[in-house]
Amino acid sequence: PEDKRHPKRVPNFARDFAFVNDVHLTAATELGITPVENREILFQMKEELVELKDTRYFKVLPLTSSSPYLVPRAADFLTDLGRLMQEYNGTKSRFLISSVLRTQSDVQKLSRVNVNATTNSTHCYGTTFDITYNRFDIHGKTWEGKLKEDLAKALYDLQAMGYCYVKYEIKQPCFHVTVRP
């Protein structure tokens, strides 16, 4: 059946999700927290943030270069995104979150091994996260396939409504998403 919101639309990831870091950064600085130096300081700020835990809409992958915290608006956005994606694909699939809030220390370490890492990272504000587009979770099993397009449609619609900015990453297979104020 034809999707009423995207009739015969084939996503063009590079065109639809081409927002550059400066656009993400403007939104992140307006909505987010002040970047912190290290995780010890971050853990003292937990009252301002929401800790992400697996839900029926998303799963948080083991994080090595970030911590599972977002500002409340960004955490709520994840639930909205998950609901919309499941509505589009008619499954109980969950997207996978691969990176969330980074401290300045995390960014320094990551910039040594990740070409997409930048010293002025939007991940430092608690408004930005990465979602893998090549793997999804269905009933506890990792699945690859058509779900990338369903996730892209949901992101496209939420971006068009002014809720977020999305960058399509190629070297790290993810959608880089910043929630807008």
Side-chain angles (χ1 to χ4, degrees):
E2 187 175 298
D3 185 333
K4 300 278 188 239
R5 293 187 179 139
H6 298 282
K8 298 182 182 176
R9 182 179 184 280
V10 176
N12 180 323
F13 302 114
R15 182 191 67 224
D16 294 343
F17 305 120
F19 285 100
V20 294
N21 190 57
D22 289 347
V23 174
H24 285 257
L25 193 57
T26 299
T29 57
E30 189 175 331
L31 177 63
I33 63 169
T34 301
V36 296
E37 182 60 34
N38 56 50
R39 291 185 186 190
E40 183 177 296
I41 296 169
L42 174 64
F43 295 139
Q44 294 170 8
M45 301 178 61
K46 289 185 355 182
E47 293 176 9
E48 298 176 47
L49 303 167
V50 174
E51 182 176 7
L52 297 182
K53 297 182 186 222
D54 296 352
T55 72
R56 64 190 223 201
Y57 301 112
F58 62 84
K59 180 176 180 178
V60 181
L61 293 172
L63 302 173
T64 56
S65 301
S66 65
S67 297
Y69 298 96
L70 289 173
V71 297
R73 183 176 175 115
D76 291 343
F77 175 88
L78 287 171
T79 299
D80 294 339
L81 175 61
R83 266 192 209 115
L84 192 56
M85 187 185 94
Q86 287 184 6
E87 178 185 316
Y88 287 167
N89 65 36
T91 72
K92 297 293 182 191
S93 60
R94 299 187 296 175
F95 55 81
L96 305 176
I97 298 171
S98 58
S99 185
V100 195
L101 192 147
R102 297 178 188 154
T103 65
Q104 296 295 322
S105 178
D106 291 330
V107 170
Q108 288 173 349
K109 291 175 191 169
L110 188 61
S111 65
R112 296 181 200 137
V113 295
N114 182 336
V115 294
N116 290 334
T118 176
T119 54
N120 200 7
S121 174
T122 55
H123 283 277
C124 295
Y125 296 87
T127 60
T128 304
F129 46 86
D130 293 339
I131 300 173
T132 64
Y133 56 67
N134 60 349
R135 296 180 299 145
F136 295 84
D137 178 89
I138 299 178
H139 305 297
K141 296 187 184 200
T142 302
W143 191 83
E144 300 177 24
K146 175 191 170 293
L147 294 176
K148 177 181 179 179
E149 289 183 16
D150 296 325
L151 174 60
K153 288 176 186 180
L155 283 168
Y156 180 84
D157 284 349
L158 292 170
Q159 179 177 265
M161 290 186 276
Y163 291 110
C164 65
Y165 292 117
V166 182
K167 174 74 173 142
Y168 178 66
E169 301 285 356
I170 297 170
K171 293 179 181 171
Q172 300 292 323
C174 68
F175 289 112
H176 174 84
V177 182
T178 299
V179 175
R180 294 174 60 181

